[in-house]
Each structure stands twice: as C-alpha cells, then as structure tokens.
Amino acid sequence: MPELPEVETIVRGLAGTIVGKTIEKAAVALPKMAVAPRRVNFKRAVRGERIVSVSRRGKFTIIELGSGRCLIVSLRMTGRLIVLGRGQAAIPYEHVSLHFTDGSRLAFADSRQFGRMRLVERGELWDAHLGVEPLSGDFTPERFIGMLSGRTTPIKALLLDQRRIAGVGNIYACEALWGARIRPGTPAKALTKPAIRRLHDALVEVLQRSIAMRGTSVDDYVDVRGLQGGFQNALSVYGRAGSGCERCGRAIVRTVLAQRGTWWCRTCQR
DNA sequence: CCGCCGCCCTGCTTGC
DNA sequence: TGCAAGCAGGGCGGCG
C-alpha cells in the first residue's frame, strides 16, 4: 500500500528519469483508469506534452506537463508506476502507458484497478480536500493539538483522515502510535499535550526514516525500477501479530478499528 | 462542516 | 488436494 514514503520514493525516481521527456502517445487499455475533464480526450490531450516536473501531495503523484496541465496519479492499494525501456514487454496489469519519444515509457499498472491517472487543467484546484503535509513546516505540534481538540474520533481514525493530515495510511498510523506509546482507540480529545507532542514527533520520525529506507514493501509496492523498499524490515507492529513487542516483549495484537486492521501492543500503548 | 456507509475490484486466505 | 466463499482496503460520492 503506497503511503507517503512510498509515493515520495516513486516521485524521486520519476524526477530523475522522466523529466524532460516528451509523450509521443498514450496507450489506454482500461479507460476508467485514465480520467480527463469533460469534453477532453485523455489520449489526445497528453500527446506531445513534455514532462516538466514530478512532485507529491499526500499520497498523490503530480506529473506537471508543459501546457500547465497536470497528471494526478492515485495508486490506492496496488497501483504501480514503473519506467520501462524501449521494447520492454508489458508488465502484469499494465493498463495505462505513456510512451515517450525516446522509446521509453511510464507504465501505470494495477491488479485491482482502483488506481487513477487524472488529467487536470492548469491551475485547477484538485487538492482542496487534503490536509497538512506532515513533513512540512506547517505541521507543528501546536497545529496538531488544535486538530485534535474536542474530537471524539479514535486517534488512529484521525491519523488516517486525509482531510486533516495528507499521506498517512495504515502502516504509518500504526507505527507512529506504537512509537508514541498511545492506544489506537483513544479518543483524540483525551490525549494530553505531552502525548500529542510525542505522537507528532513519532509520526514525523517514522515517515522520514521510511523515506530514507525507500519505503515499505509488504504487499505490492515497488519503486519505479521495480525494486522493493527496505522499511518492511524495520516495522515494529504493522503485520506483526503474535511476535514480541520490541519494548516490553509482550505479543503484538491485531484488532479492527475504523474498518482497518490495527496492530499494537496492549501493554505499552496506553 | 462532519461523520458514516457502501462501492469499486481481485489476489489471497480460510474453511470445508 | 481442490474449490468456493469471504476478506481486505484508499478514496470518493451520497446521505443524514
């Protein structure tokens, strides 16, 4: 499941490989995965466009085109963006492909077909619903405290809410809560200021550490070269039901919270 | 504005 | 061992 660190790794990979290339042709095998504004034909619109930059907002990849239009990619759970060389065979579930004039291509593959590549107009406000970037200077402990005040929502559900903080998914919500020694079901408003500060720091720390290790490959995630990340070997709780907690040795449990699998330590997360 | 629910899909796990 | 059923899950639209 690509979350912020995985998308950041992909974005860095794309920035180093496809910026400056020109789209000769788009191949769309599954039309629902390549979305364009009304009255705009996706394939026709992207033909001839040059890739100006690649960046990230939350879990979304932003491919800026010469015209000012952007391709916004959402990978959801199983989406992949892979750069392939001239003549390389199609990869599994390669549903949308941007063929460049130099013969290489960007493949957008997704076994579950939930991912989307959306063309947006220049200046279109497509990300108004997204909250603060957790690795930006805007994400201060004070702002986080304000975000939580008065809310009865379980803290883990709030961490997953993209309207508040953009980019955190199930893996890093679980890991950050373990790092801050906070029980996932705690109502947000019940957290003390020191606890909120611990969680703020744990969240930033785990995201940064994962980026440094090129993300977590537990299921489908690979980078633009098809290589796995390294953070799956550094996980403390996610997917580790039954194994011993690194702090206290008691078994990590899996429960369900807000319709999501939740891994945590009953002993040292209070 | 906010929270909740259902939907989209298919690979994988579970259970008989 | 083989097969069918059921689960998982991010984002979004609809609803109250």
Side-chain angles (χ1 to χ4, degrees):
Chain A
M1 284 152 283
E3 305 180 23
L4 188 154
E6 291 74 37
V7 177
E8 181 66 26
T9 304
I10 287 167
V11 163
R12 291 179 185 182
L14 291 178
T17 48
I18 69 165
V19 168
K21 296 191 182 198
T22 299
I23 301 170
E24 183 175 273
K25 182 182 192 299
V28 179
L30 197 57
K32 69 175 178 184
M33 287 186 58
V35 183
R38 286 189 195 288
R39 291 185 291 277
V40 175
N41 178 279
F42 182 91
K43 289 166 69 172
R44 208 175 320 166
V46 301
R47 186 175 299 144
E49 286 273 17
R50 195 172 52 89
I51 309 298
V52 171
S53 69
V54 183
S55 56
R56 180 190 62 73
R57 176 84 171 93
K59 303 177 197 173
F60 295 86
T61 299
I62 305 166
I63 301 172
E64 186 193 356
L65 305 174
S67 65
R69 282 173 164 166
C70 290
L71 289 168
I72 309 298
V73 182
S74 171
L75 297 168
R76 300 289 184 97
M77 281 93 66
T78 48
R80 290 177 166 182
L81 286 171
I82 308 283
V83 178
L84 297 167
R86 179 189 292 277
Q88 278 194 263
I91 59 173
Y93 314 106
E94 182 175 340
H95 299 311
V96 180
S97 316
L98 303 179
H99 292 263
F100 301 115
T101 52
D102 68 353
S104 66
R105 72 182 190 274
L106 176 62
F108 181 29
D110 191 344
S111 66
R112 230 170 275 189
Q113 306 178 13
F114 281 1
R116 294 291 181 268
M117 179 178 282
R118 184 155 79 97
L119 181 68
V120 299
E121 299 291 2
R122 176 215 290 265
E124 186 178 333
L125 196 62
W126 63 273
D127 65 343
H129 62 292
L130 292 179
V132 66
E133 281 292 326
L135 296 183
S136 75
D138 294 339
F139 184 56
T140 59
E142 289 68 33
R143 181 160 174 180
F144 195 33
I145 288 167
M147 216 182 273
L148 270 54
S149 75
R151 312 222 152 266
T152 55
T153 318
I155 183 60
K156 191 200 169 199
L158 191 140
L159 290 176
L160 294 175
D161 187 347
Q162 303 299 300
R163 294 172 298 184
R164 308 201 172 278
I165 302 172
V168 180
N170 210 14
I171 295 172
Y172 300 103
C174 290
E175 294 295 313
L177 287 164
W178 180 84
R181 305 190 306 277
I182 294 168
R183 191 153 32 88
T186 312
K189 68 176 187 182
L191 292 174
T192 63
K193 283 186 181 179
I196 299 173
R197 286 178 186 277
R198 283 205 312 275
L199 183 55
H200 173 276
D201 293 355
L203 187 57
V204 171
E205 188 272 338
V206 74
L207 293 173
Q208 285 175 339
R209 198 153 43 90
S210 180
I211 290 171
M213 295 180 72
R214 305 179 56 79
T216 303
S217 295
V218 279
D219 252 345
D220 295 75
Y221 164 72
V222 287
D223 71 9
V224 298
R225 292 180 295 169
L227 302 175
Q228 295 209 326
F231 201 69
Q232 62 277 9
N233 302 312
L235 295 171
S236 297
V237 284
Y238 184 85
R240 303 194 63 220
S243 64
C245 171
E246 293 165 18
R247 271 194 305 253
C248 71
R250 303 286 294 274
I252 300 299
V253 296
R254 180 190 186 275
T255 58
V256 175
L257 182 61
Q259 286 83 246
R260 298 285 145 76
T262 302
W263 288 266
W264 55 294
C265 174
R266 284 191 193 281
T267 307
C268 56
Q269 289 178 254
R270 312 274 356 147

